[in-house]
């Protein structure tokens, strides 16, 4: 069966950097669109970043543009989220997600994704 297993996360100070990883199994990784979402305390889950299967174009939520980078390594079945210049408002549980051949109109929507990682807490202190 399909599994997305996350690693990374933890505590950081404002201005620090952190990398999240998500390893997929049970699927043909190169055919999947990949994304990161996050859920802050008391808030709904929101889109952070995404990559389509066949394009290197990256998509970002406005507040993370220029600070976060999503990337994938198809040889390792892994998607990464590199987070730089962390801010206290980045504190949240971060989730990776995958969808086979996701279309552009769905890429920022939770409902567009079929598979989810277990989540990783990121806490940023100011």
């Amino acid at each position: 069966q399909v599994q997305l297993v996350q690693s990374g996360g933890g505590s950081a100070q404002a201005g620090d950097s952190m990398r999240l990883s998500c390893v997929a199994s049970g699927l043909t990784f190169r055919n999947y669109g990949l994304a990161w979402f996050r859920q802050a305390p008391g808030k709904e889950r929101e889109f952070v970043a995404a990559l389509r299967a066949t394009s290197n174009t990256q998509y970002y939520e406005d507040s993370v543009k220029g600070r976060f980078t999503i990337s994938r390594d198809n040889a390792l079945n892994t998607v990464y989220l590199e987070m730089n210049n962390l801010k206290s408002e980045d504190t949240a549980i971060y989730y990776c997600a995958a969808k086979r051949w996701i279309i552009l109109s769905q890429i920022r929507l939770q409902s567009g994704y079929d598979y989810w990682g277990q989540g990783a807490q990121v806490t940023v202190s100011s």
Side-chain angles (χ1 to χ4, degrees), residues 8-71:
S11 298
Q13 297 290 319
D16 284 353
S17 297
M18 184 181 294
R19 187 174 79 163
L20 304 179
S21 301
C22 174
V23 180
S25 60
L27 51 73
T28 304
F29 188 76
R30 65 181 181 273
N31 294 341
Y32 277 73
L34 304 163
W36 291 92
F37 288 77
R38 66 186 179 186
Q39 187 165 17
K43 295 188 177 181
E44 299 206 348
R45 194 174 298 187
E46 65 173 1
F47 170 79
V48 175
L51 282 170
R52 295 179 71 186
T54 56
S55 168
N56 289 326
T57 303
Q58 300 162 13
Y59 303 87
Y60 295 99
E61 192 267 332
D62 285 346
S63 70
V64 307
K65 281 181 183 176
R67 299 189 299 120
F68 289 14
T69 302
I70 185 172
S71 62

Side-chain angles (χ1 to χ4, degrees), residues 89-105:
E89 51 263 43
D90 296 320
T91 294
I93 300 174
Y94 285 72
Y95 298 89
C96 60
K99 166 70 176 181
R100 188 172 183 271
W101 300 123
I102 193 165
I103 59 177
L104 190 54
S105 62

Side-chain angles (χ1 to χ4, degrees), residues 4-16:
L4 301 181
V5 179
Q6 296 180 222
S7 61
S11 298
Q13 297 290 319
D16 284 353

